[in-house]
Amino acid sequence: MRVRVAFIAAVLGVLGYEVAAQPYVGSIVEDISTPLAFPPDQDGLTCTGLVWNFRVDAPVLPGNIKQPEMRVHLNNLVLPDNDAFHIEIADTSGNVVETLDRAVLAGRSDIWTLSISSIAAEVSVFGCDALTGLAFEIDQIAFPFEDLELESLYGTSDLIETNSYTGADSDLVTESASSVARLSVIKDRTETYCTAFRIGPDLVQTSSHCISDETDFCETTQIWFDYHKNEFGLPITGQKVRCLEIVDSAAPTQADTTILRVHPEPHAAYKIASFTPDSPQEGDPLFVPQHPGGLPQKLSIADCVRQEDMRTQAHPNAYGHTCDTLRGSSGAPVFNLAGEVVGQHRAGHTNPEVTNCLNLATLPHLLDLSTGVTGQTTTASAEAC
């Protein structure tokens, strides 16, 4: 086996394959030159209802934004002694994205808001206590740019909007895909995107290689359910939740799987995915709902099957598949046509000149970390080609 793996690595080097099992970097963080500080000058402020409001605009460069979306960073947080205060984060239409109160802010010195689906955010402060102890600065903004990199397409792209699929298995696909969510995390002045899926009442699962730093990963991580395009082609979002803690994790070289606890608990409409320990066989049809590039949910189902070659066979913890993905699809569940999870997408390629390269999915019996099985050590790389 050692000789075979070395031979395969040599072949890949000659062919110029580029390995990749990476999230998609889709947003940048920019400083506000003069932070917006609360409390401002007290003149004119009252302690009933709204006491302060400010519009924060994203410094969008024309042509560089893929869709209206931004996050705002609140820093140097100080909370009052009592609870008669809250901060509302809304879009420019007045739709409240989240409410920040003591339950959310306690013990924190800073926080990134959930994403606002516009190029400006309305930050509003309410309550008497806000005038007697609440303090914070708005010092950074994260906003997206268009730079989708090719990865993992097998032949030509067959990716479609999930809710546009009308095949014979559309009901099963729709139900299964409701478990799938977009995950994003801010780290080192960029925001990266992966895919996750619900596996318990308050648990989601994603790829371990999407976890940049276990120490503070959850501090900036958000998960979007039901993020898709409507009948008019406009992106809409269901529930947005925060990461609370990393429950369990298996290394990228093993199962490449991490379980997160989220809050609040996702709505019952979002299915809890079910696993089967049985691996798909060569040629078995599959489908993969996913969020490539952090975009509204896409589906790979056409020409999406298990397939093996000499490269994928070198990975004892994974199998090969022909389902189309892009960067940011990492962590997406691979379903069989019974709606069971039979894998989790973990790796593909980034060579735009080579599109007949198989992708990798983790073997199903390694995915459910609650069983205590967290993968097997192997000397083979976790990437496909």
Side-chain angles (χ1 to χ4, degrees):
M1 175 61 74
R2 187 172 303 163
V3 173
R4 184 181 182 190
V5 171
F7 170 73
I8 291 171
V11 171
L12 298 184
V14 172
L15 294 179
Y17 288 105
E18 183 179 353
V19 299
Q22 302 173 21
Y24 169 68
V25 179
S27 292
I28 58 175
V29 173
E30 184 164 307
D31 294 329
I32 296 176
S33 56
T34 303
L36 309 171
F38 181 89
D41 189 334
Q42 300 290 313
D43 290 344
L45 296 184
T46 62
C47 69
T48 57
L50 177 67
V51 298
W52 187 74
N53 171 263
F54 200 91
R55 175 180 167 127
V56 185
D57 292 290
V60 176
L61 301 176
N64 285 0
I65 192 167
K66 61 184 177 182
Q67 61 198 36
E69 183 182 325
M70 63 181 291
R71 298 177 75 178
V72 175
H73 186 242
L74 277 59
N75 198 13
N76 297 322
L77 276 164
V78 178
L79 301 186
D81 293 334
N82 298 307
D83 295 339
F85 79 96
H86 67 273
I87 305 168
E88 286 188 358
I89 311 298
D91 62 22
T92 52
S93 298
N95 300 309
V96 177
V97 174
E98 68 173 330
T99 298
L100 303 175
D101 55 15
R102 183 177 300 279
V104 179
L105 300 176
R108 305 185 65 134
S109 62
D110 71 303
I111 191 170
W112 278 99
T113 68
L114 297 176
S115 289
I116 303 101
S117 297
S118 62
I119 59 173
E122 296 284 344
V123 180
S124 302
V125 179
F126 295 82
C128 296
D129 284 350
L131 303 182
T132 56
L134 178 66
F136 61 86
E137 291 180 348
I138 300 173
D139 64 344
Q140 292 181 321
I141 306 171
F143 58 98
F145 58 90
E146 184 65 72
D147 188 29
L148 191 60
E149 298 180 59
L150 176 68
E151 179 191 340
S152 306
L153 296 180
Y154 187 81
T156 58
S157 177
D158 295 311
L159 288 170
I160 60 173
E161 302 297 328
T162 301
N163 60 355
S164 71
Y165 176 66
T166 58
D169 302 298
S170 59
D171 289 345
L172 180 142
V173 168
T174 298
E175 181 183 13
S176 301
S178 70
S179 68
V180 179
R182 189 188 83 166
L183 180 148
S184 64
V185 57
I186 293 176
K187 182 72 174 178
D188 297 330
R189 302 187 68 83
T190 60
E191 186 168 18
T192 58
Y193 301 89
C194 280
T195 301
F197 61 105
R198 190 182 187 193
I199 64 166
D202 63 348
L203 299 176
V204 301
Q205 185 163 298
T206 191
S207 289
S208 295
H209 70 255
C210 295
I211 312 301
S212 54
D213 183 348
E214 289 195 12
T215 303
D216 59 1
F217 172 79
C218 278
E219 293 295 306
T220 67
T221 299
Q222 61 174 348
I223 297 97
W224 288 17
F225 285 92
D226 199 20
Y227 180 42
H228 66 278
K229 288 187 177 181
N230 64 15
E231 62 270 28
F232 304 108
L234 300 175
I236 58 175
T237 310
Q239 187 180 14
K240 300 175 183 178
V241 300
R242 291 182 176 274
C243 173
L244 280 185
E245 63 173 333
I246 297 175
V247 175
D248 203 352
S249 188
T253 53
Q254 300 173 347
D256 194 17
T257 296
T258 292
I259 296 175
L260 308 174
R261 192 179 312 281
V262 300
H263 179 81
E265 185 175 304
H267 300 324
Y270 308 133
K271 180 181 174 65
I272 296 176
S274 59
F275 294 90
T276 175
D278 300 326
S279 298
Q281 301 302 303
E282 183 83 3
D284 279 358
L286 308 167
F287 65 92
V288 184
Q290 59 195 270
H291 288 279
L295 295 172
Q297 193 179 101
K298 302 289 187 290
L299 175 69
S300 177
I301 192 167
D303 301 321
C304 177
V305 300
R306 173 171 181 169
Q307 189 170 311
E308 299 288 354
D309 63 12
M310 62 182 294
R311 295 178 293 268
T312 62
Q313 290 168 0
H315 301 276
N317 293 335
Y319 63 83
H321 67 84
T322 63
C323 309
D324 288 327
T325 62
L326 295 169
R327 284 197 177 191
S329 301
S330 293
V334 179
F335 291 99
N336 61 20
L337 292 189
E340 301 167 320
V341 176
V342 293
Q344 180 175 292
H345 175 65
R346 65 188 297 179
H349 68 94
T350 58
N351 190 335
E353 305 300 322
V354 181
T355 57
N356 62 343
C357 178
L358 295 172
N359 307 315
L360 283 182
T362 296
L363 288 166
H365 74 275
L366 300 179
L367 290 179
D368 188 354
L369 299 187
S370 64
T371 64
V373 180
T374 57
Q376 305 167 8
T377 303
T378 173
T379 56
S381 168
E383 289 82 12
C385 59

